[in-house]
Amino acid sequence: MPLNALSCLLGVMSRTRLLPEKSLPRYAYLPGKYPHPVRNPLGHSYRSDPATVAVGEALGSDVFRWGIDLFNHGYYWEAHEAWEPLWQAAKQSAQHRLFFKGLILLAAAGVKIREGKRVAAARHATRAAGLFRQVVGGPDGPFEKALGMTPAALAERAQAVVAYPVVLREPKPAQPEPVFDFILAPVSASV
């Protein structure tokens, strides 16, 4: 099903927060349109300390949940940055590395969609789908509990970005715009 303005609007209204005590960034970064969040002194994350995560706690960590909040609310570059330390910390688990790399690529696809770069968005989404398909996880597995859907289902959602390109509404300056017609919702979260 292609994403349209109505489903996007309804999706935004139903997107709850996992970590409501954390403030969302002032803007959703898009390259060339806003100050780089980390490198520019005007950036929303300038001089922020990088997140650290214990390897065994990745899927239940606040770092992971923060990435979900950012992703669900249209802060795709920021979600990518939140999940990067999890991917780096997962050196001993091939499944976790595939999973986090898939999430990072899906977030990158969101950035490219918002930039209007359909070819790059399709490339990232296709790579994300391929990684999610490699993740071994069945019903009630850790990845499904972490996202509220199986990696296979997430692969289908990622591939839908290629099959049904997103048509964006006229964006408000510096405002995030969720571009996916699904939300990530951990099963254990009381949302």
Side-chain angles (χ1 to χ4, degrees):
M1 171 174 65
L3 180 66
N4 61 37
L6 179 59
S7 67
C8 187
L9 179 61
L10 293 174
V12 171
M13 293 187 315
S14 66
R15 294 169 195 259
T16 58
R17 298 277 310 279
L18 300 175
L19 300 173
E21 67 277 8
K22 286 190 78 162
S23 297
L24 292 169
R26 294 188 315 268
Y27 57 90
Y29 178 64
L30 288 176
K33 294 197 182 247
Y34 310 112
H36 189 280
V38 177
R39 293 190 303 250
N40 189 313
L42 299 175
H44 61 61
S45 297
Y46 186 68
R47 294 194 180 185
S48 293
D49 293 329
T52 57
V53 175
V55 177
E57 301 172 359
L59 292 175
S61 70
D62 279 353
V63 173
F64 179 68
R65 295 164 63 85
W66 178 235
I68 290 175
D69 270 351
L70 293 165
F71 183 90
N72 285 342
H73 289 85
Y75 294 88
Y76 300 113
W77 185 90
E78 293 80 2
H80 170 285
E81 287 293 305
W83 288 326
E84 187 87 19
L86 299 171
W87 174 71
Q88 291 172 349
K91 292 182 175 146
Q92 304 300 351
S93 172
Q95 292 296 296
H96 281 79
R97 281 187 70 79
L98 291 170
F99 177 74
F100 291 128
K101 186 65 172 182
L103 288 175
I104 289 167
L105 285 167
L106 189 58
V111 171
K112 296 304 177 189
I113 290 167
R114 291 205 56 225
E115 287 182 296
K117 297 180 177 179
R118 291 179 184 235
V119 172
R123 184 175 58 249
H124 289 314
T126 299
R127 288 180 57 211
L131 292 172
F132 292 134
R133 286 187 185 102
Q134 293 178 50
V135 174
V136 176
D140 299 322
F143 301 114
E144 181 178 8
K145 288 179 182 175
L147 293 180
M149 68 178 78
T150 64
L154 190 54
E156 289 177 24
R157 298 292 192 145
Q159 202 61 53
V161 171
V162 178
Y164 304 104
V166 176
V167 177
L168 297 177
R169 297 173 285 144
E170 185 64 35
K172 296 177 185 169
Q175 293 298 308
E177 182 175 2
V179 298
F180 299 108
D181 66 347
F182 61 91
I183 60 169
L184 305 176
V187 172
S188 62
S190 57
V191 291

